[in-house]
Every structure is written in C-alpha cells, then in structure tokens.
Amino acid sequence: MELDRALREIHREVTPHLGEGRVATYIPALARVDPRRFGMAVATIDGETHVVGEANASFSIQSISKVFTLTLALQQVGSRLWSRVGREPSGTPFNSLVQLEYERGVPRNPFINAGALVVTDVLLFCWGREEALGHILGLIREVAADGHVAVDPEVARSEKASGHRNVALANLIHSFGRFRSDVDEILDLYFHQCAIAMGCAQLARSALFLAAGGRDPGSGRRVISRRRARRINSLMLTCGHYDASGDFAFRVGLPGKSGVGGGILAVAPGRLAAAVWSPALNPQGSSLVGTLALEKLAAKTGLSVF
Ligand code: GLU
C-alpha cells in the first residue's frame, strides 16, 4: 500500500485509542506531557519522508538514544564491547537490578539501562564527558540531517533528581569493578543522552543508516560496517523493548527501540525507517499506541524481516 495512505489510515484507526496506557511518571518532566499526542514518520532509503500527525513535534527520545550510543561504542572498541555487556534478551524490566546481581555486573544487553550504562562508560572512557556528549549529539545531528537536535536540560535535570534506580544500577555495576570511569559522571552523561529531544521525522531519518547496511543514504557516508549494522538491528529485534521484545517481534516483526518518552523507532532493512510518538505507555514502558501504529504499518505494507 502507498505509504501516505497507510499513514492516514493508521492515524484514523489509532485515534480512538489515544490516551490508553500511562505516561512515565517516575521522571517528573515526562509526567506533564499530554498522553493523547501522536505523530508518525516514515523515511525511505531513496530519500522520501512521509508524515502524519505531530511528526515534527519534539519529544524526549529517552532509551532510543541507546541505539546511537551503541553505534558509537562499536565504532570505538568493536567486538571488545561484548566482554562487558551481553547480547541476550533480558526478559526483565528495563531498570531491573535482580539479574545484574546474579550475573555479577555484566548486563544482559546494551538496551536495558544497566547495559546502556556500560556503553556510556565506554564512551566516557574514550572521550571524557564534554567530548562524549558532543560525539553523541554529532552522530544524531548528522544522521538526522538536522543540526538543531539538542538535549532538553529540564528533562536531564528532572531525571537526575529522580533517577534512583539508575543510581542503584550504576553502583551495583561499580561494586563488581566493571566501570572505568567515575559513577557520577557516567550517570550524568547517561541522563543527558536520554534527554535528547527530536521529532518523528528527524528520528526516522536518523535510523536510515541501519536500513541501508550501515551507510547514510543521504550523504553516502559509511557510519558503521554492514555487519555491525545488521547486528544492531538484530539486537533491536531481540532486546529493543525490554520484557516486551518478544511481543513486539510477534506483532510488528521489525527491529525496533522504544523509549519511555513514548517514542519508538523501527527499521525495515533495505527499505525504510519509521518513528512514532505517543506518550502513554504499556506496562512494560513502551508506547501503547506507538506499538499499535507500527503493527498496523507492518500489516498494511507487508513489511517484516520474516
Ligand atoms: N532515561 C530512562 C531511564 O533510565 C530511559 C528508560 C527508557 O526510555 O526506557 O529510566
């Protein structure tokens, strides 16, 4: 089906469900967002962008930032990363401490909070705080083709003030001697990367390198090797939605990454990237209507990696 028509239909079909689910309240700045908002964008590797709803409204990308920090860490240290973080779905909530204790500070995968904190430590150790944040923003601005993508300082402050579980996770990892940098600096950088804000149209554009074998189709620049792009996609498929990853693979059938700001990024290798935003979340912390919208996109277009 033609993409503009598919997006219009999806918008119409999900509208009765807007507001179902609950916005993230553990980060006070996110609790204030209207749960009924909705935007969606699809960027194709041949340069078209299709949008519906509030596709240009800026929102907090939260854990979707983990896709970009993983890309940077793999660029920097390659497969050495896998001695410090695993590649298995966790089956536990995004901020769970239990598994980390059993597995002695080696997080299951880079997309749960514990794993992302290890990835952040890698970037901090390579570059230091200012430069690492500069590289994260630099990569996102480049692949989004938008130099204005920035951190929302209010969200970063809010998360820092209320991020008790992340502080606990970081200290637990540190207690096993798994970090190289200072715990407070790791947390500060992590909160800032999660507080990056952008719209669906930019976000869809920013994942095209993962749809196009590691090369940004706009600039032609290779961001990461083809093999690593494939692997990031496979981790998004198996681990991108915490303990709802299996359900997302079942319903949507595409690699994806969600964030508690209500955004979800999905990649159809060889074809396109899609981003959706609707702030009310399902119990596992992914956008309820966003998941539904992507399920409908896959059904209407036949897109699937299977
Ligand atoms: N910044 C959030 C946290 O660490 C990210 C979680 C998410 O987006 O899933 O709690």
Side-chain angles (χ1 to χ4, degrees):
M1 183 192 282
E2 189 234 326
L3 283 165
D4 281 319
R5 199 173 119 214
L7 289 180
R8 277 196 308 274
E9 281 186 17
I10 292 166
H11 193 191
R12 201 176 53 242
E13 290 167 15
V14 302
T15 296
H17 298 281
L18 290 176
E20 285 175 20
R22 300 190 56 189
V23 295
T25 47
Y26 74 103
I27 302 174
L30 297 183
R32 292 194 280 276
V33 181
D34 177 358
R36 298 183 48 83
R37 298 183 74 178
F38 175 83
M40 190 167 185
V42 173
T44 65
I45 59 173
D46 41 27
E48 289 171 18
T49 303
H50 305 266
V51 296
V52 76
E54 296 185 76
N56 291 307
S58 196
F59 63 91
S60 188
I61 66 169
Q62 291 292 315
S63 282
I64 300 171
S65 63
K66 294 169 183 169
V67 174
F68 304 104
T69 52
L70 174 63
T71 301
L72 286 169
L74 287 171
Q75 281 175 352
Q76 290 306 302
V77 301
S79 49
R80 279 182 290 141
L81 181 68
W82 305 122
S83 62
R84 300 185 55 196
V85 58
R87 305 185 294 245
E88 288 295 337
S90 66
T92 57
F94 64 98
N95 55 6
S96 170
L97 286 143
V98 179
Q99 204 168 46
L100 195 58
E101 168 77 5
Y102 282 129
E103 297 183 354
R104 307 194 59 76
V106 179
R108 272 288 172 101
N109 67 66
F111 291 148
I112 50 173
N113 287 12
L117 287 164
V118 169
V119 170
T120 302
D121 177 45
V122 169
L123 303 186
L124 202 53
F125 189 74
C126 288
W127 288 312
R129 158 76 170 72
E130 290 314 309
E131 219 184 308
L133 186 58
H135 279 284
I136 297 167
L137 279 169
L139 172 64
I140 296 179
R141 286 173 180 159
E142 179 199 340
V143 291
D146 186 333
H148 299 295
V149 175
V151 171
D152 179 334
E154 198 203 329
V155 174
R157 259 197 312 277
S158 178
E159 198 166 346
K160 199 167 180 171
S162 61
H164 307 295
R165 289 193 76 91
N166 287 319
V167 172
L169 283 168
N171 280 305
L172 190 55
I173 299 170
H174 179 60
S175 75
F176 287 104
R178 306 275 183 205
F179 280 146
R180 305 212 172 128
S181 323
D182 177 74
V183 175
D184 289 337
E185 281 200 4
I186 295 168
L187 284 163
D188 181 71
L189 180 57
Y190 173 78
F191 292 141
H192 278 80
Q193 83 192 35
C194 288
I196 290 172
M198 58 204 284
C200 288
Q202 297 160 305
L203 192 57
R205 172 75 182 70
S206 72
L208 278 179
F209 75 97
L210 292 172
R215 201 186 281 281
D216 181 89
S219 67
R221 190 179 87 84
R222 177 158 292 290
V223 178
I224 197 148
S225 71
R226 177 174 288 279
R227 196 172 57 125
R228 292 212 167 109
R230 205 164 53 215
R231 290 180 162 172
I232 294 170
N233 285 333
S234 71
L235 285 166
M236 287 169 73
L237 186 83
T238 52
C239 312
H241 310 266
Y242 315 116
D243 45 343
S245 299
D247 190 58
F248 188 87
F250 181 84
R251 289 171 59 189
V252 182
L254 295 173
K257 182 73 203 87
S258 65
V260 292
I264 308 179
L265 182 61
V267 176
R271 297 279 305 278
L272 54 82
V276 61
W277 173 56
S278 184
L281 309 177
N282 64 23
Q284 289 84 17
S286 299
S287 172
L288 190 147
V289 167
T291 306
L292 184 63
L294 288 168
E295 183 179 10
K296 287 178 181 292
L297 180 71
K300 287 176 194 296
T301 57
L303 288 169
S304 169
V305 294
F306 299 106

